[in-house]
Amino acid sequence: MRKKLSFLLVFMLVILGISACASDGIEVSDKKGNTGYIEEYRVAFGGDWGYPSPYSIVPRGPGFAYLQLVFDSLVWRDKDGNIVPQIAKEWEFDETKNQYIFTLQEGIKWHDYEDLNADDVVFTIEYMKEHRLPWLDIGAIKDARALDDKKVVISLNDYYTPFMNNIAMGMPIIPQHIFADIDNPNLEYTEKILIGSGPYKLEEYSVEDGNYSFVAFDSYYQGDVKVEKLKFISMSKEMQYSSILRGDVDMIMPSSDLIDALVDKGVNVGSSIGMVTKLRFNTEKAPFSSKNIRKALAYAINTEEIISIAQRGHGYKGESGLIPFNSRYYYGDVEKYDFDTRESDILMQREGYEKKNDYYYKNGEELLIEIIGYEGVKRDIDVIANQLGQAGFKTKSVYLDMATCDQRLNDGDFDIAVTEDGVTGDPVYLNRMMDSDVGDKFREENIDIINAINQQIYCKKESDRISLLKDIQKMYADSLPSYVLYYGKFNVAYNEKLEVYFTDEGYGVGVSLPYNKLMYIGE
């Protein structure tokens, strides 16, 4: 297996940012893939996303997509968003004791052919409490104990609404006989940490090329894996189009402007809401600590023009309450910031600014705003800078690599930034976003929204949670720690070998890249 540890520095610098996309896949063509045995399936995708083990992946969407091939969790999500059995074949919730009882499948083997049992599940929870994963909070769990080899009881500290959607699905079960001897999993890069119970084993991994090759596990407990070898090949967007037409690869994630051409060539395509792109304000730095300034900037931005120019018409207008319109928790009756430079100017005057030589000044000092973002949002930044300049805001654009951008956000070393976040599945992503070093920051006067975000994950009644989430969206739109610009599109194009889909509400911790492991192992 080719591998080097040069990605360690990248991993240490990359701060949590859940990559994902939302639900409601939009099929552009009606063709379906073949579901027979496939010797090799090749996916064009790029970049080094770390060792596919819980403590060594780069904690973004692609890292999780690779991890889920090697490590199984208690439950999973199918194409339609239903929670289905994985390591656990059945489960029940005892409301009086606030505990879940999971019964495990028979005949589960680790990749070294040792048996997986309830003790491994208990060990996983205890180990992850001591060695916290940066991308999964299991603090809601009080304790766990095995009743026998196939039954485990997990007790919670309080009622925790997203337990099944987040912890049971997102927590990769690890082998006790391997990790019990590992004191610092963040620094362990040996092949033994790749021993999981998932449908695939890592065969080859190249840090230099960003290529991954997985081979089917011959003793997978859910039956034969229908794709024997799964390869992820690093390839530029420019090369992907011609490669799928030639048959060099079986699946690509093309830009939206190529969809029509692919359909004309008879290629299967589909799309889904992708990442949310936001204008993040440094609410701890003047003048952006002022809500009026944040709102003035929002009014000065024409989001439809950003979608038209920067995204070439492929995207969905943002919602100022953050939660996307296709979520069952979406609430649209919130404060809006439709493009209005006159309203922007009124708010700036309230804050003591006046225009001089086409730009805003206060107390004789020109307002200069630095916009930062990584190279992937460069076109968005260019359009925003032009719009703000026309509205009287002088700007300076700075383009950074992802790790440096994340570090500056973490350090609070920015004015405004164009960022991307995942808003898939259970709204526990609001808590991850708030707790993340690079997520939205709320000031002390926003204690109501902070409390509401914390409370929404403990609601016993769905109606109570819906009510809280409505309030959160109204408060978010009013407070405006970030301004939602648009929801991007994830696209997929694929041949006849396999039916490919986006998972409704995402899999794992909310990932909806079109790589759900169930596509490769059948129903």
Side-chain angles (χ1 to χ4, degrees):
M1 184 186 300
R2 289 193 296 140
K3 54 188 180 294
K4 292 186 178 180
L5 303 186
S6 60
F7 66 86
L8 174 59
L9 179 60
V10 176
F11 174 72
M12 297 298 288
L13 289 176
V14 176
I15 308 299
L16 176 63
I18 307 298
S19 163
C21 67
S23 54
D24 288 354
I26 306 166
E27 291 297 327
V28 182
S29 68
D30 296 326
K31 295 182 180 180
K32 301 296 181 183
N34 177 28
T35 58
Y37 174 80
I38 301 169
E39 184 174 349
E40 182 175 283
Y41 196 80
R42 293 158 295 178
V43 180
F45 200 72
D48 170 30
W49 297 96
Y51 225 30
S53 189
Y55 290 92
S56 50
I57 60 166
V58 174
R60 294 183 185 271
F64 297 121
Y66 296 152
L67 177 68
Q68 54 110 17
L69 298 173
V70 180
F71 288 83
D72 275 359
S73 51
L74 290 170
V75 298
W76 203 241
R77 201 185 295 280
D78 68 11
K79 174 184 178 179
D80 300 319
N82 303 307
I83 294 177
V84 296
Q86 199 162 79
I87 287 175
K89 66 179 180 180
E90 57 189 29
W91 53 91
E92 60 181 291
F93 178 63
D94 186 335
E95 188 170 351
T96 60
K97 296 181 180 179
N98 198 28
Q99 59 185 205
Y100 285 86
I101 302 97
F102 290 91
T103 302
L104 309 189
Q105 307 265 15
E106 298 291 335
I108 305 180
K109 297 287 186 182
W110 294 107
H111 292 161
D112 60 0
Y113 301 101
E114 293 288 331
D115 293 332
L116 183 154
N117 56 45
D119 287 336
D120 289 301
V121 178
V122 174
F123 171 79
T124 296
I125 291 168
E126 293 175 347
Y127 193 85
M128 290 182 179
K129 278 181 169 289
E130 181 178 356
H131 305 281
R132 186 178 181 274
L133 290 169
W135 45 269
L136 181 67
D137 183 3
I138 65 168
I141 298 178
K142 180 180 180 181
D143 57 48
R145 58 189 174 91
L147 298 181
D148 55 39
D149 280 353
K150 298 301 176 188
K151 189 162 290 189
V152 61
V153 176
I154 300 177
S155 300
L156 306 183
N157 291 308
D158 297 291
Y159 184 85
Y160 186 68
T161 309
F163 176 81
M164 292 296 294
N165 289 327
N166 188 51
I167 295 179
M169 192 186 311
M171 180 176 64
I173 303 303
I174 58 177
Q176 180 176 9
H177 68 283
I178 299 295
F179 280 82
D181 296 325
I182 299 176
D183 295 327
N184 193 339
N186 295 305
L187 299 178
E188 184 75 29
Y189 295 100
T190 58
E191 291 186 23
K192 66 182 180 181
I193 67 168
L194 295 170
I195 295 175
S197 62
Y200 287 92
K201 300 188 296 182
L202 181 67
E203 180 184 55
E204 187 175 350
Y205 162 47
S206 171
V207 174
E208 295 89 348
D209 301 328
N211 294 336
Y212 291 77
S213 180
F214 299 89
V215 63
F217 179 41
D218 59 11
S219 296
Y220 189 54
Y221 63 96
Q222 297 208 56
D224 291 338
V225 178
K226 66 184 178 185
V227 177
E228 175 63 23
K229 186 171 288 189
L230 186 57
K231 289 188 174 182
F232 291 85
I233 304 166
S234 184
M235 187 180 295
S236 68
K237 289 286 187 183
E238 293 73 21
M239 291 180 60
Q240 290 184 22
Y241 176 78
S242 58
S243 293
I244 196 167
L245 294 182
R246 289 195 306 265
D248 295 337
V249 296
D250 302 301
M251 185 203 307
I252 65 173
M253 289 190 68
S255 56
S256 294
D257 50 349
L258 292 175
I259 291 297
D260 290 342
L262 287 163
V263 171
D264 290 342
K265 296 291 186 179
V267 180
N268 300 304
V269 299
S271 61
S272 174
I273 285 184
M275 304 284 282
V276 57
T277 300
K278 306 185 299 183
L279 186 67
R280 163 98 179 272
F281 303 109
N282 188 344
T283 57
E284 298 177 350
K285 178 181 180 180
F288 314 103
S289 52
S290 166
K291 185 164 63 174
N292 278 341
I293 297 294
R294 301 196 294 272
K295 291 185 175 184
L297 288 165
Y299 275 119
I301 293 172
N302 186 338
T303 58
E304 292 182 356
E305 187 176 70
I306 295 172
I307 294 170
S308 175
I309 297 175
Q311 298 303 309
R312 295 169 182 159
H314 301 286
Y316 305 97
K317 184 175 172 60
E319 298 288 344
S320 51
L322 182 60
I323 293 178
F325 58 84
N326 64 337
S327 168
R328 65 177 181 270
Y329 297 108
Y330 167 69
Y331 181 67
D333 190 15
V334 300
E335 189 168 356
K336 309 288 186 180
Y337 301 94
D338 293 332
F339 180 54
D340 188 340
T341 54
R342 182 174 177 276
E343 183 64 28
S344 175
D345 187 59
I346 291 172
L347 290 170
M348 291 301 292
Q349 290 184 46
R350 287 179 186 170
E351 292 296 308
Y353 285 89
E354 58 180 10
K355 284 185 181 177
K356 181 180 178 182
N357 299 326
D358 296 326
Y359 292 113
Y360 282 111
Y361 281 75
K362 184 176 181 179
N363 299 326
E365 184 176 347
E366 185 181 51
L367 175 63
L368 175 62
I369 301 174
E370 183 182 73
I371 312 173
I372 71 169
Y374 80 105
E375 287 290 339
V377 294
K378 182 180 184 301
R379 291 191 302 188
D380 297 318
I381 292 176
D382 291 344
V383 175
I384 291 168
N386 180 62
Q387 292 176 350
L388 292 179
Q390 292 182 16
F393 299 92
K394 191 171 187 178
T395 65
K396 174 186 176 183
S397 301
V398 178
Y399 313 105
L400 306 165
D401 62 83
M402 187 176 291
T404 303
C405 186
D406 281 353
Q407 191 62 50
R408 287 193 58 179
L409 291 172
N410 181 31
D411 294 340
D413 181 20
F414 71 101
D415 294 336
I416 63 177
V418 177
T419 65
E420 294 177 319
D421 281 303
V423 285
T424 308
D426 193 280
V428 69
Y429 60 71
L430 295 171
N431 302 74
R432 286 198 297 263
M433 203 177 293
M434 185 173 66
D435 294 337
S436 168
D437 290 331
V438 298
D440 292 327
K441 295 293 185 293
F442 298 97
R443 294 173 60 79
E444 290 184 4
E445 62 263 30
N446 302 127
I447 190 65
D448 289 341
I449 190 172
I450 293 172
N451 289 339
I453 289 175
N454 287 328
Q455 290 169 13
Q456 60 96 12
I457 58 176
Y458 298 111
C459 292
K460 288 187 177 182
K461 294 181 179 179
E462 180 72 357
S463 59
D464 291 340
R465 195 180 195 204
I466 289 173
S467 178
L468 265 179
L469 286 165
K470 283 183 179 180
D471 291 341
I472 289 168
Q473 290 171 82
K474 288 190 289 186
M475 289 187 286
Y476 189 98
D478 175 64
S479 174
L480 216 64
S482 291
Y483 178 47
V484 178
L485 302 171
Y486 63 88
Y487 303 100
K489 280 187 179 181
F490 278 164
N491 302 302
V492 65
Y494 55 99
N495 60 24
E496 298 293 331
K497 284 187 181 180
L498 193 70
E499 181 182 359
V500 177
Y501 54 81
F502 290 98
T503 303
D504 192 10
E505 297 197 32
Y507 52 84
V509 289
V511 181
S512 195
L513 289 170
Y515 308 136
N516 189 328
K517 71 179 86 177
L518 298 188
M519 296 192 305
Y520 314 120
I521 63 177
E523 298 299 324

